[in-house]
Amino acid sequence: MKKIPLTQVKTNQKVKVAEITGGGQLRDKLMSLGIYTGIEITKLSHFMMKGPVTIKSGRSVLALGHGMAAKIFVESHD
Amino acid sequence: MLRAMIKKIFLIGNPNVGKSVVFSRLTGVRVMSSNYPGTTVEITKGFLVHGRERIEVVDLPGAYSLNPASQAEEVAVSLLKDFPKEDSVVINILDSTNLERNLYLTLQLIEEGYRVIVCLNMCDETGHRGIELDIKKLESLLGVPVVSACAVTGVGIKFLIERIGEARAKPAKATGHLERWREIGLIIEQVQRLSHRHHTFREILEDVSVRPFTGFLIGGLVIYLSFKIVRFIGEFLINSISDPVFYNIYEPLLMRLSRVFGPESFLHHLLIGDLINGKIDFQQSMGVLTTAPYIEFAMVLPYVLAFYVILSVLEDVGYLPRLAILLDNLMHKLGLHGYAIIPVLLGFGCNIPGILSTRILESRRERFITSTLISIGVPCVALQAMIFALLGRFSGFYVGGVYLVLFSVWLILGVILNKTLKGYSPELLIEIPPYRLPPVGVLFRKIFYRVCGFIFEAVPIVLLGVLAVNLLLYFHLFDFISAISAPVIHGLFGLPKETVIALAIGFIRKDVAAGMLIPLGLSARQMFIAATLLAASFPCVATFVILLKELGIRDFIKSLLIMIATGFILGAVLNFSLLR
């Protein structure tokens, strides 16, 4: 199974978080929002020119900066 | 009595679950609440009076967990941790429509041994979102009391108060993050039932406003309409209410008073000011009873009201976080992320709440950049109303010009600050709330509260300010100041030397300062430069105090130097590119 960053996922796709790279602080912050390895999220949109990414996780919609989204790796189905 | 043992009640919960609304219901203290995470950045205290008891209630800024991520969260968590657990009760407020995410903090609170009572807020929204909750079951699984409520309407609050005494600490072992989420998963399975429904119109609107193409389209439309509506309401109020009252009712009274005083008397000079062609000119006479109330009530207040109507609607509907997504890219160039647009927007009303709300940003660097940019590039609504009045009479082109210049200064300065300041700025990470239709009564109270706040804060200062100016003018004390500053004001900025008085008064209040430009007989271009300088130089003294408090003395001086430099450079550039 391949891992790809969230930035490369197509919009409207449901994916499983495989790994969150980067500092423990980022992991902690995402953890308290319910984003952690193994959870399923849906990518809603992606703004051009390294803009933010929006995702749906459970019942919440979150917006994250491009750099942050690049640190979240998800399982790729291809 | 059970409650005798409770010394303090803390309200804690995730951002945007309605803690402040519950707080208002419990204490009767009116606090600001909106539909975006981070409305509350300060600690508010009040008292819950129940029977003969009186317990202190503390409203804390929202937090997702007990490991804080922003300054506001840090304040919330440290305040909670510093108070003895056995003397306090924690009311943990949850969003019923998003139970899963909210329970994370709940479990942490229970593990830490706090005496917790859970309040499931917004219970009225679960029905039409297809959510069914088993509250009894949740209570038995958590081991602490659970009450459902709808704070906006007041449903369930009485029951919550009655059960506060039942809050208790439950022996629980500390677990890791993942175990906590696993436990939440198990709880959710047992207490929550979702029924599938078709997408509602609201959900479609929520969705398209966070997608690039439709998002920008909606964003552009919202901003354009906001401007249009503010101008429409403002002008309507001026033309149909405030002007008729001043000219038809108030002016004849004042003319009678003027005849009693006699036009050459000292009191006439102070209270009525100068007569223009034997008549009172509300814009130019500069008396404590003439121009001062006219500026505040007939020129500024209508726009203050109009602005807060629009801002409050946008806040409560939940549009602002969506605007933050759209602007994230642009804000990155300034060393900020999209959410910094919220302090900036609040700053357009008054710089003080704008600067206070920079606490929703995580790093010191972001807070410094945002506060400095607000002080320089964001004119408050009082000044904007005066700019409309002063420059609008020449041409709308000049009004637009001021905004264009300010926006350019804002951008250029932001880019420079981002390049020169040490440290890095964190990235955007926000929760986007659902759209909500705020009850009209709630909206009305909020606008009323803000407008009253403006009147009580502004009017005394304006009256005293005009009085002070008139005294100084009467005794010719300004002549000295305008003589020594003439090289800068006249030589560098191309303005008549008397303009310095208006610019100096800008330190007290910007709207009065702008009003003082009217009798000077400036040309359109001079007026343009003077108005832009008033907006861009430095903020009023009240903002300075807050800035000093928020930034600390070192950063405050840094920010001040940037303001002075910007003012000089901008004035000179405008003068040499426009007037020569």
Side-chain angles (χ1 to χ4, degrees):
Chain A
M1 182 210 56
K2 238 172 58 186
K3 285 189 218 168
I4 56 166
L6 187 58
T7 45
Q8 287 174 23
V9 174
K10 286 197 199 79
T11 50
N12 297 323
Q13 241 179 10
K14 197 171 192 176
V15 287
K16 199 178 228 182
V17 177
E19 188 190 353
I20 296 170
T21 62
Q25 216 190 345
L26 172 65
R27 267 203 296 275
D28 275 359
K29 245 197 291 187
L30 288 171
M31 175 68 80
S32 58
L33 284 162
I35 310 292
Y36 50 92
T37 308
I39 196 97
E40 282 199 327
I41 56 177
T42 309
K43 180 164 169 179
L44 291 180
S45 66
H46 189 167
F47 285 74
M48 55 294 229
M49 301 196 315
K50 301 202 168 181
V53 171
T54 61
I55 58 168
K56 193 169 166 92
S57 143
R59 303 200 65 85
S60 17
V61 175
L62 301 171
L64 16 119
H66 185 90
M68 209 179 270
K71 288 179 188 136
I72 300 175
F73 285 81
V74 300
E75 291 175 10
S76 163
H77 300 297
D78 337 302
Chain B
M1 275 244 159
L2 268 171
R3 242 174 249 110
M5 285 135 54
I6 305 171
K7 292 202 179 117
K8 243 182 213 184
I9 297 173
F10 289 100
L11 298 188
I12 191 164
N14 286 184
N16 211 33
V17 297
K19 289 174 295 299
S20 297
V21 190
V22 175
F23 176 78
S24 291
R25 287 281 171 193
L26 291 178
T27 61
V29 176
R30 182 75 191 91
V31 282
M32 202 51 82
S33 48
S34 316
N35 183 16
Y36 65 81
T39 307
T40 308
V41 290
E42 287 183 293
I43 311 292
T44 326
K45 292 176 184 176
F47 287 93
L48 168 68
V49 181
H50 185 62
R52 297 172 64 185
E53 287 164 297
R54 199 161 168 270
I55 311 168
E56 189 175 41
V57 183
V58 186
D59 182 24
L60 298 174
Y64 287 109
S65 70
L66 292 176
N67 334 8
S70 74
Q71 194 198 3
E73 274 191 40
E74 212 174 293
V75 170
V77 172
S78 69
L79 205 78
L80 187 66
K81 284 186 172 161
D82 288 347
F83 198 81
K85 282 173 191 162
E86 54 290 353
D87 291 341
S88 62
V89 158
V90 173
I91 301 184
N92 178 205
I93 297 154
L94 275 62
D95 173 354
S96 304
T97 65
N98 199 346
L99 195 59
E100 186 168 4
R101 210 226 27 238
N102 280 248
L103 278 174
Y104 188 79
L105 178 66
T106 312
L107 291 194
Q108 259 190 330
L109 286 168
I110 295 174
E111 281 168 30
E112 295 275 334
Y114 290 100
R115 288 163 71 185
V116 180
I117 173 166
V118 168
C119 168
L120 294 176
N121 195 18
M122 308 195 223
C123 63
D124 57 322
E125 284 194 33
T126 49
H128 56 251
R129 282 171 196 274
I131 304 167
E132 212 181 300
L133 297 175
D134 185 344
I135 289 163
K136 283 259 147 32
K137 185 93 193 168
L138 184 62
E139 183 166 321
S140 75
L141 287 174
L142 289 176
V144 298
V146 178
V147 178
S148 83
C150 172
V152 169
T153 57
V155 170
I157 295 296
K158 232 175 155 177
F159 195 47
L160 172 69
I161 295 173
E162 275 164 17
R163 295 197 66 186
I164 285 174
E166 292 173 40
R168 56 185 173 267
K170 182 198 150 202
K173 56 185 189 313
T175 52
H177 302 300
L178 282 173
E179 291 85 84
R180 215 171 281 144
W181 281 116
R182 209 163 293 143
E183 198 182 329
I184 291 170
L186 294 174
I187 295 175
I188 289 291
E189 260 174 44
Q190 297 176 67
V191 302
Q192 183 173 276
R193 273 223 333 261
L194 299 177
S195 50
H196 187 73
R197 296 154 316 122
H198 288 290
H199 282 281
T200 58
F201 179 63
R202 169 163 68 178
E203 281 165 327
I204 294 169
L205 262 186
E206 282 168 6
D207 193 58
V208 291
S209 58
V210 297
R211 295 189 188 263
F213 180 71
T214 43
F216 278 107
L217 213 65
I218 294 173
L221 197 69
V222 167
I223 291 172
Y224 174 78
L225 283 179
S226 302
F227 262 107
K228 280 278 162 198
I229 298 172
V230 167
R231 293 243 30 196
F232 176 79
I233 301 178
E235 273 169 21
F236 172 80
L237 292 175
I238 289 173
N239 293 331
S240 61
I241 299 178
S242 56
D243 265 0
V245 169
F246 268 88
Y247 286 104
N248 302 336
I249 301 172
Y250 192 49
E251 191 182 326
L253 286 176
L254 283 179
M255 279 313 286
R256 218 176 291 168
L257 195 65
S258 163
R259 279 189 290 275
V260 173
F261 287 145
E264 294 307 317
S265 68
F266 177 64
L267 269 182
H268 192 283
H269 175 79
L270 284 188
L271 300 180
I272 310 283
D274 305 321
L275 295 182
I276 314 277
N277 302 327
K279 284 181 70 181
I280 290 167
D281 182 328
F282 279 119
Q283 294 197 9
Q284 297 195 35
S285 290
M286 270 299 149
V288 175
L289 295 179
T290 53
T291 305
Y294 187 77
I295 287 179
E296 282 320 289
F297 290 107
M299 295 174 90
V300 171
L301 187 63
Y303 278 105
V304 169
L305 178 64
F307 176 83
Y308 282 129
V309 167
I310 295 298
L311 181 70
S312 305
V313 169
L314 289 179
E315 278 181 345
D316 285 11
V317 164
Y319 186 71
L320 298 186
R322 290 166 171 89
L323 199 60
I325 304 178
L326 300 178
L327 294 173
D328 188 49
N329 246 337
L330 173 74
M331 303 296 267
H332 263 287
K333 310 273 187 294
L334 317 180
L336 303 169
H337 61 61
Y339 217 44
I341 196 64
I342 289 188
V344 170
L345 278 179
L346 295 180
F348 274 113
C350 168
N351 281 356
I352 294 170
I355 289 168
L356 281 177
S357 87
T358 59
R359 293 186 196 167
I360 57 176
L361 303 171
E362 292 136 273
S363 74
R364 237 191 119 68
R365 178 183 135 103
E366 286 172 287
R367 288 197 293 273
F368 177 79
I369 296 177
T370 315
S371 309
T372 307
L373 289 182
I374 290 174
S375 310
I376 294 175
V378 177
C380 64
V381 63
L383 179 57
Q384 291 179 71
M386 294 304 287
I387 290 175
F388 287 156
L390 292 183
L391 289 171
R393 71 179 74 180
F394 294 116
S395 137
F397 168 76
Y398 287 108
V399 179
V402 173
Y403 284 96
L404 193 70
V405 170
L406 288 179
F407 183 63
S408 315
V409 168
W410 194 77
L411 273 188
I412 295 169
L413 195 62
V415 170
I416 295 174
L417 287 177
N418 184 28
K419 289 261 187 313
T420 52
L421 287 176
K422 277 197 277 278
Y424 92 112
S425 290
E427 285 204 68
L428 180 76
L429 176 59
I430 50 166
E431 198 191 354
I432 311 295
Y435 284 136
R436 295 197 167 99
L437 215 56
V440 178
V442 171
L443 207 55
F444 186 80
R445 269 201 301 277
K446 180 174 181 170
I447 296 164
F448 178 76
Y449 181 68
R450 279 177 152 158
V451 170
C452 284
F454 170 81
I455 292 175
F456 290 128
E457 277 156 34
V459 173
I461 298 178
V462 168
L463 295 180
L464 286 176
V466 171
L467 183 70
V469 168
N470 281 348
L471 283 173
L472 292 172
L473 281 175
Y474 192 78
F475 295 110
H476 297 280
L477 290 172
F478 273 132
D479 298 358
F480 175 66
I481 303 172
S482 48
I484 56 162
S485 59
V488 173
I489 300 294
H490 188 67
L492 197 59
F493 300 159
L495 299 169
K497 63 183 193 324
E498 292 77 21
T499 321
V500 72
I501 301 166
L503 291 178
I505 295 304
F507 190 63
I508 301 174
R509 267 203 74 86
K510 294 280 177 182
D511 39 13
V512 177
M516 291 186 65
L517 293 173
I518 301 173
L520 295 178
L522 302 179
S523 72
R525 286 175 172 195
Q526 284 178 322
M527 189 65 98
F528 173 72
I529 293 178
T532 314
L533 271 181
L534 257 188
S537 52
F538 38 71
C540 64
V541 61
T543 309
F544 268 121
V545 174
I546 298 296
L547 207 56
L548 176 63
K549 241 171 66 189
E550 292 296 302
L551 292 181
I553 183 77
R554 271 190 56 190
D555 279 356
F556 172 74
I557 290 172
K558 216 156 80 180
S559 185
L560 187 64
L561 292 176
I562 295 170
M563 288 176 208
I564 295 172
T566 312
F568 273 100
I569 295 170
L570 182 67
V573 167
L574 286 178
N575 176 27
F576 289 104
S577 57
L578 278 178
L579 289 181
R580 320 241 143 181

